[in-house]
Protein backbone atom coordinates (compact mmCIF):
# COMPACT_ATOMS: atom_id res chain seq x y z
CA UNK A 1 0.00 0.00 0.00
CA UNK A 2 2.80 2.42 0.86
CA UNK A 3 4.65 1.81 -2.43
CA UNK A 4 1.40 2.34 -4.37
CA UNK A 5 0.83 5.69 -2.67
CA UNK A 6 4.40 6.75 -3.41
CA UNK A 7 4.05 5.77 -7.08
CA UNK A 8 0.76 7.62 -7.35
CA UNK A 9 2.21 10.77 -5.78
CA UNK A 10 5.14 10.86 -8.17
CA UNK A 11 3.01 11.14 -11.32
CA UNK A 12 3.98 14.29 -13.21
CA UNK A 13 1.15 16.38 -14.61
CA UNK A 14 2.11 18.70 -17.45
CA UNK A 15 -0.12 21.33 -19.05
CA UNK A 16 -0.24 20.73 -22.80
CA UNK A 17 -0.28 23.77 -25.08
CA UNK A 18 -1.25 24.19 -28.70
CA UNK A 19 0.05 27.25 -30.54
CA UNK A 20 -2.02 28.85 -33.29
CA UNK A 21 0.22 30.93 -35.52
CA UNK A 22 3.82 30.36 -36.57
CA UNK A 23 4.81 33.95 -35.82
CA UNK A 24 7.91 35.87 -34.82
CA UNK A 25 6.66 36.40 -31.24
CA UNK A 26 6.32 32.63 -30.84
CA UNK A 27 9.86 32.04 -32.04
CA UNK A 28 11.45 34.96 -30.17
CA UNK A 29 9.59 34.86 -26.85
CA UNK A 30 6.51 32.75 -26.21
CA UNK A 31 7.74 29.22 -26.91
CA UNK A 32 10.43 29.66 -24.26
CA UNK A 33 8.02 31.44 -21.90
CA UNK A 34 5.50 28.59 -22.09
CA UNK A 35 8.20 26.02 -21.39
CA UNK A 36 9.89 28.02 -18.61
CA UNK A 37 9.29 26.42 -15.23
CA UNK A 38 7.48 28.36 -12.55
CA UNK A 39 9.59 30.11 -9.92
CA UNK A 40 8.77 27.33 -7.46
CA UNK A 41 9.95 24.67 -9.91
CA UNK A 42 13.10 26.64 -10.62
CA UNK A 43 13.84 26.48 -6.90
CA UNK A 44 13.22 22.75 -6.88
CA UNK A 45 9.87 23.00 -5.07
CA UNK A 46 7.48 20.94 -7.17
CA UNK A 47 3.90 21.79 -6.32
CA UNK A 48 1.58 19.01 -5.26
CA UNK A 49 -1.88 18.93 -6.82
CA UNK A 50 -5.08 17.88 -5.04
CA UNK A 51 -4.92 14.35 -6.46
CA UNK A 52 -1.41 13.80 -5.10
CA UNK A 53 0.38 14.29 -8.41
CA UNK A 54 3.18 16.79 -8.88
CA UNK A 55 2.94 19.75 -11.23
CA UNK A 56 5.26 19.14 -14.16
CA UNK A 57 4.94 22.59 -15.78
CA UNK A 58 4.01 23.21 -19.40
CA UNK A 59 4.86 21.57 -22.68
CA UNK A 60 4.09 22.58 -26.24
CA UNK A 61 2.33 19.70 -27.92
CA UNK A 62 1.55 21.16 -31.35
CA UNK A 63 1.67 24.21 -33.57
CA UNK A 64 -0.79 25.28 -36.25
CA UNK A 65 -0.28 27.41 -39.32
CA UNK A 66 -2.52 27.63 -42.38
CA UNK A 67 0.74 27.09 -44.30
CA UNK A 68 1.69 23.43 -43.73
CA UNK A 69 5.34 23.99 -44.69
CA UNK A 70 5.65 26.88 -42.23
CA UNK A 71 4.05 24.79 -39.47
CA UNK A 72 6.56 21.97 -40.06
CA UNK A 73 9.49 24.41 -40.17
CA UNK A 74 8.48 25.95 -36.83
CA UNK A 75 7.94 22.54 -35.26
CA UNK A 76 11.45 21.51 -36.31
CA UNK A 77 13.17 24.72 -35.19
CA UNK A 78 11.31 24.94 -31.86
CA UNK A 79 11.27 21.17 -31.18
CA UNK A 80 7.46 20.95 -31.15
CA UNK A 81 6.32 17.34 -31.66
CA UNK A 82 3.32 17.98 -33.95
CA UNK A 83 2.55 20.42 -36.78
CA UNK A 84 -0.89 21.05 -38.25
CA UNK A 85 -2.38 23.06 -41.09
CA UNK A 86 -5.89 21.92 -40.07
CA UNK A 87 -6.97 23.79 -36.94
CA UNK A 88 -9.79 21.43 -35.99
CA UNK A 89 -7.43 18.45 -36.03
CA UNK A 90 -5.04 20.17 -33.64
CA UNK A 91 -7.83 21.30 -31.32
CA UNK A 92 -9.17 17.73 -31.18
CA UNK A 93 -6.05 16.56 -29.34
CA UNK A 94 -6.86 15.57 -25.76
CA UNK A 95 -3.31 16.29 -24.59
CA UNK A 96 -3.81 20.01 -25.31
CA UNK A 97 -5.54 21.88 -22.49
CA UNK A 98 -4.49 25.45 -23.37
CA UNK A 99 -4.10 27.35 -26.61
CA UNK A 100 -1.95 30.38 -27.35
CA UNK A 101 -3.24 32.46 -30.30
CA UNK A 102 -0.57 34.41 -32.19
CA UNK A 103 -1.71 34.35 -35.80
CA UNK A 104 -2.65 37.44 -37.84
CA UNK A 105 -4.96 39.78 -35.86
CA UNK A 106 -7.75 39.44 -38.43
CA UNK A 107 -7.81 35.69 -37.61
CA UNK A 108 -7.67 35.95 -33.80
CA UNK A 109 -11.43 35.83 -33.21
CA UNK A 110 -11.96 32.71 -35.34
CA UNK A 111 -9.09 30.89 -33.61
CA UNK A 112 -10.24 31.93 -30.12
CA UNK A 113 -13.85 30.86 -30.70
CA UNK A 114 -12.75 27.55 -32.21
CA UNK A 115 -10.46 26.85 -29.24
CA UNK A 116 -13.19 27.67 -26.74
CA UNK A 117 -15.64 25.43 -28.65
CA UNK A 118 -13.05 22.66 -28.32
CA UNK A 119 -12.94 23.17 -24.54
CA UNK A 120 -9.48 24.76 -24.37
CA UNK A 121 -8.30 27.62 -22.16
CA UNK A 122 -7.03 30.50 -24.31
CA UNK A 123 -4.29 33.13 -24.15
CA UNK A 124 -4.53 35.50 -27.11
CA UNK A 125 -2.28 38.23 -28.41
CA UNK A 126 -4.05 41.58 -28.68
CA UNK A 127 -6.50 42.28 -30.16
CA UNK A 128 -8.92 39.57 -29.08
CA UNK A 129 -11.20 40.49 -31.98
CA UNK A 130 -11.76 43.31 -34.44
CA UNK A 131 -15.20 44.14 -33.03
CA UNK A 132 -16.54 44.54 -29.50
CA UNK A 133 -19.48 42.26 -30.34
CA UNK A 134 -17.24 39.31 -31.22
CA UNK A 135 -14.97 39.97 -28.23
CA UNK A 136 -18.03 39.87 -25.95
CA UNK A 137 -19.13 36.62 -27.62
CA UNK A 138 -15.75 35.08 -26.80
CA UNK A 139 -15.92 36.30 -23.20
CA UNK A 140 -19.45 34.92 -22.80
CA UNK A 141 -18.48 31.57 -24.33
CA UNK A 142 -15.48 31.22 -22.00
CA UNK A 143 -17.59 32.07 -18.94
CA UNK A 144 -20.34 29.68 -19.99
CA UNK A 145 -17.87 26.82 -20.37
CA UNK A 146 -15.80 27.63 -17.28
CA UNK A 147 -12.68 28.33 -19.35
CA UNK A 148 -9.95 30.91 -18.85
CA UNK A 149 -9.65 33.56 -21.56
CA UNK A 150 -6.76 36.02 -21.35
CA UNK A 151 -5.23 38.69 -23.54
CA UNK A 152 -1.47 39.04 -23.66
CA UNK A 153 -1.49 42.81 -23.16
CA UNK A 154 1.36 43.61 -20.75
CA UNK A 155 1.00 47.40 -21.01
CA UNK A 156 -2.01 47.20 -18.70
CA UNK A 157 0.44 46.28 -15.91
CA UNK A 158 2.77 49.21 -16.64
CA UNK A 159 3.20 51.25 -13.41
CA UNK A 160 2.69 54.56 -15.27
CA UNK A 161 -0.59 53.35 -16.81
CA UNK A 162 -1.81 52.02 -13.45
CA UNK A 163 -0.91 55.30 -11.73
CA UNK A 164 -2.76 57.30 -14.38
CA UNK A 165 -5.80 55.06 -13.95
CA UNK A 166 -5.75 55.63 -10.18
CA UNK A 167 -5.41 59.41 -10.62
CA UNK A 168 -8.48 59.39 -12.85
CA UNK A 169 -10.48 57.17 -10.46
CA UNK A 170 -9.55 59.37 -7.48
CA UNK A 171 -10.37 62.51 -9.52
CA UNK A 172 -6.98 63.97 -8.56
CA UNK A 173 -6.55 65.62 -11.95
CA UNK A 174 -9.96 67.25 -12.09
CA UNK A 175 -12.60 66.64 -14.72
CA UNK A 176 -11.07 64.73 -17.59
CA UNK A 177 -12.17 66.31 -20.85
CA UNK A 178 -9.86 64.34 -23.12
CA UNK A 179 -6.42 62.90 -23.42
CA UNK A 180 -3.94 61.07 -25.56
CA UNK A 181 -1.28 58.56 -24.66
CA UNK A 182 1.46 57.99 -27.20
CA UNK A 183 3.50 54.84 -26.87
CA UNK A 184 5.10 54.29 -30.23
CA UNK A 185 8.41 53.65 -31.84
CA UNK A 186 9.79 52.36 -35.10
CA UNK A 187 9.32 48.65 -35.65
CA UNK A 188 12.44 46.54 -36.00
CA UNK A 189 13.15 45.75 -39.67
CA UNK A 190 12.14 42.11 -39.18
CA UNK A 191 8.63 43.23 -38.18
CA UNK A 192 8.11 45.78 -40.95
CA UNK A 193 5.99 43.40 -43.01
CA UNK A 194 2.20 43.12 -43.07
CA UNK A 195 1.85 45.76 -40.32
CA UNK A 196 2.86 48.51 -42.76
CA UNK A 197 0.73 47.33 -45.68
CA UNK A 198 -2.67 48.94 -46.50
CA UNK A 199 -5.28 47.24 -44.29
CA UNK A 200 -2.44 45.57 -42.38
Amino acid sequence: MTSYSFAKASIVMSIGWGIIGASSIVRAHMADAIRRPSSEQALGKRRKAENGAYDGGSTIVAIHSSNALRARMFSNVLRIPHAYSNLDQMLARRDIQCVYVANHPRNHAHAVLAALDAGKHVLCEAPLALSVTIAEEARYKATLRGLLLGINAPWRADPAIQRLQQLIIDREIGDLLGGRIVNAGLLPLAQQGWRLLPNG
Side-chain angles (χ1 to χ4, degrees), residues 1 5 8 12 22 27 35 42 45 48 51 73 75 89 92 98 110 112 118 122 140 142 157 164 168 172 182 194 200:
M1 184 69 167
S5 298
K8 183 178 178 183
V12 174
R27 180 170 23 206
R35 290 173 170 145
K45 299 175 182 175
K48 200 170 184 180
N51 65 356
M73 188 257 311
S75 71
Q89 286 179 355
C98 303
H110 170 74
V112 167
V122 177
Y140 175 75
L164 178 60
I168 293 170
E172 290 187 30
V182 178
W194 60 265

Side-chain angles (χ1 to χ4, degrees), residues 21-71:
S23 63
S24 59
I25 192 167
V26 170
R27 180 170 23 206
H29 303 289
M30 291 304 291
D32 285 342
I34 289 171
R35 290 173 170 145
R36 184 176 300 128
S38 69
S39 58
E40 287 184 0
Q41 287 175 305
L43 294 171
K45 299 175 182 175
R46 294 190 303 167
R47 291 167 298 176
K48 200 170 184 180
E50 289 179 8
N51 65 356
Y54 285 102
D55 178 358
S58 297
T59 59
I60 301 173
V61 175
I63 188 164
H64 167 269
S65 173
S66 57
N67 181 320
L69 183 62
R70 187 170 173 84

Side-chain angles (χ1 to χ4, degrees), residues 30 72 108:
M30 291 304 291
R72 281 197 304 276
H108 283 186

